[in-house]
Amino acid sequence: FASSARAGGSNWEKKRNSLHLQPESISNTTFGVRMASDDVANLADSLAKAQVNEGELSYKGQGLKLDNAQSVEEMVKEIEEFDGLRALRLEGNTIGLEAAQTIAKALEKKSDLQCCHWSDMFTGRLRAEIPPALVSLGDALITAGARLKVLDLSDNAFGPDGVKGIEKLLKSAACHSLQELRLNNCGMGIGGGKILAAALTACHKDSSALGAPLQLKVFIAGRNRLENDGATALAQAFQLIGSLEEVHMPQNGINHPGVTALATAMQHNPQLRVLNLNDNTFTKKGAIAMAEALKHLRNVQVINFGDCLVRSEGASAIAETLREGLPILKELNLSFGEITEEAALDVARSVQLKDQLEKLDLNGNSLGEEGCDSLREVMESMNMADKLGSLSDDEGEPEEDEDEDDDDDEDVEEEEEEEEEEEEGEGEEEKSELNQFSTPPSAPRTPDVSSFLSFPSPDKLLRLGERRSSLIQQQVDVLDVVKTAEAFLKISSVYKDDDAEVKSAVLESIDAVLSKAFFTPSFQGLSFVSALLVMLGLLKSEDKLKVVKVVPGHLQCLEHAVKQSYFPRDHITVLNAFMARQNKSLEVCSSSRDRLKLTLQKLVPES
């Protein structure tokens, strides 16, 4: 398509005009479409013959079991013959040591490689296999002289030894250019966290000596059991680096000492936009420290301190920060924090002047029925009622004799937790050596649908239970096409092609929402499609619709939806015409985009 677009741009303009579509401009989210079916068919034929070459080679989600050199012969040949290879996707397969070493040999000459999407590629492998496999792949990148921008090794559960396997790579010049490091659910533990912190520190020191300091922007390391010591070590590295824009460290067993260290580090990262520490344990000390740190930051847009026990004093401290700063805040999650009515109202009043606020989540706290009513009234009085999330899981007013901020009790609880975690760690040594996904450090509270739609995650979707699809269907107002499009994008954002349970849950939920929508007589289907196109960045609109960062799940779920009987055939013609255009917003998902385009072309109604 890229080549055909360059060679025949004028032809595309003629075809676009003949279709009466104006992708560059639209006055609102509803539009009329009149198109000549023969022109659409001709366009589909020309696109079907086009080739896409954007520097990415993908084997994502193919479920390949690659044990030895013979099993990767074809892959190695494609890697060797791929000129200008910039991104290699190996996620969703299982790669043995010999196979990894063979792939590594092919990568030694790929100096253009920038993005290594290597999550979930060691399932079922012996723990002893993984570190040397990672060493081989890392050495190949160093030999090639690659300059990485993205390194994603999430969902590999390789433990501290796995971090040792990438230590040399992280310290090398290949990572001096690293912008995104994704290590979610890798079971690093305290030891792995310390090794990682030391490697990042060395990388920054060496790159700085060469006049181009490491500019890491995105760090993701949820569900890793980093605890206080691991988090503190990483905090020291973050403070030195100073360029972070997104930090995601949920479910890591971090208590107030680690939270306080992270708070100090965040002050030295002035471009921070997203801070997600969900399901750790702040208590009053950690929450107050974090509130003080946030006073120094002006670019924060998303704060997720849900399930963090920020408690009332911590919430009030955060409210004070909100009144003074955080001018462009969009989302604030303080759910399940043992916050009482007065502090919750304080938080609500503090967001009055936040004109970009989209969501305030105070669900699962201790407000009581009257407190919930008061909170709704305050938000309504500020014309912000639609910004308040559900309060369906409120835990009621606390008992009068509860001492929520007893520091001595906090210390005792932390000591007990550390002892329990050491016992759990010893027990893990006796388990099978087969690599499995990490187990969450705790069993989080079951979220409601509103919580999932506000801050979607695979875990939250699964914890909604067997009735999730009907619950989500009931929650979404299908008479509002924008909210329906938003719900579709929220649900599909957690899609995982390589996780059967999550995949099934997402597709069932998508089907439930869209079937209800399209079977509702008053549902404006074309308006829904146009809103979806705007949010995906394929269409401009005068309405203030939020353009999302497109992920593969958005396109994979759309591909599923268009094949269902509920999806009108004439709407497919519209989608096909717009998907045919080259657009930067979809470049990061080129493989999913190409599959969707091919599916749409096959489904376009014949004249």
Side-chain angles (χ1 to χ4, degrees), residues 400-469:
E400 292 183 2
D401 58 349
E402 285 186 0
D403 185 357
E404 64 174 15
D405 291 316
D406 190 320
D407 293 340
D408 292 336
D409 286 349
E410 288 178 6
D411 295 336
V412 170
E413 289 170 3
E414 288 172 17
E415 291 173 3
E416 291 175 349
E417 288 171 2
E418 290 171 2
E419 291 173 0
E420 290 171 1
E421 289 159 9
E422 288 174 2
E423 293 172 359
E424 290 171 1
E426 293 171 358
E428 288 295 321
E429 297 294 331
E430 300 172 2
K431 293 183 179 180
S432 167
E433 285 189 318
L434 286 178
N435 176 51
Q436 301 293 338
F437 284 150
S438 305
T439 302
S442 61
R445 297 174 175 84
T446 303
D448 64 340
V449 175
S450 178
S451 175
F452 164 70
L453 291 176
S454 299
F455 301 97
S457 72
D459 287 340
K460 282 187 177 181
L461 180 62
L462 295 180
R463 296 204 306 270
L464 287 173
E466 296 298 324
R467 295 183 60 243
R468 64 180 71 88
S469 59

Side-chain angles (χ1 to χ4, degrees), residues 315-442:
S316 294
I318 292 172
E320 180 184 348
T321 296
L322 287 167
R323 282 189 290 270
E324 298 175 0
L326 301 176
I328 59 173
L329 186 69
K330 293 183 177 180
E331 298 180 7
L332 174 63
N333 184 348
L334 295 178
S335 60
F336 299 100
E338 293 188 0
I339 300 169
T340 54
E341 177 184 352
E342 184 178 352
L345 294 176
D346 195 16
V347 171
R349 295 186 183 103
S350 71
V351 301
Q352 182 172 8
L353 300 179
K354 300 292 180 277
D355 55 5
Q356 295 189 39
L357 188 74
E358 298 173 2
K359 185 73 174 182
L360 173 62
D361 191 347
L362 287 166
N363 195 27
N365 284 297
S366 304
L367 311 184
E369 186 174 346
E370 291 184 3
C372 289
D373 290 340
S374 297
L375 182 57
R376 294 188 187 98
E377 289 173 4
V378 167
M379 293 297 286
E380 187 172 351
S381 70
M382 301 187 300
N383 295 319
M384 301 178 76
D386 59 328
K387 313 298 183 187
L388 181 63
S390 170
L391 299 174
S392 59
D393 291 327
D394 188 74
E395 297 185 351
E397 297 182 43
E399 297 295 330
E400 292 183 2
D401 58 349
E402 285 186 0
D403 185 357
E404 64 174 15
D405 291 316
D406 190 320
D407 293 340
D408 292 336
D409 286 349
E410 288 178 6
D411 295 336
V412 170
E413 289 170 3
E414 288 172 17
E415 291 173 3
E416 291 175 349
E417 288 171 2
E418 290 171 2
E419 291 173 0
E420 290 171 1
E421 289 159 9
E422 288 174 2
E423 293 172 359
E424 290 171 1
E426 293 171 358
E428 288 295 321
E429 297 294 331
E430 300 172 2
K431 293 183 179 180
S432 167
E433 285 189 318
L434 286 178
N435 176 51
Q436 301 293 338
F437 284 150
S438 305
T439 302
S442 61

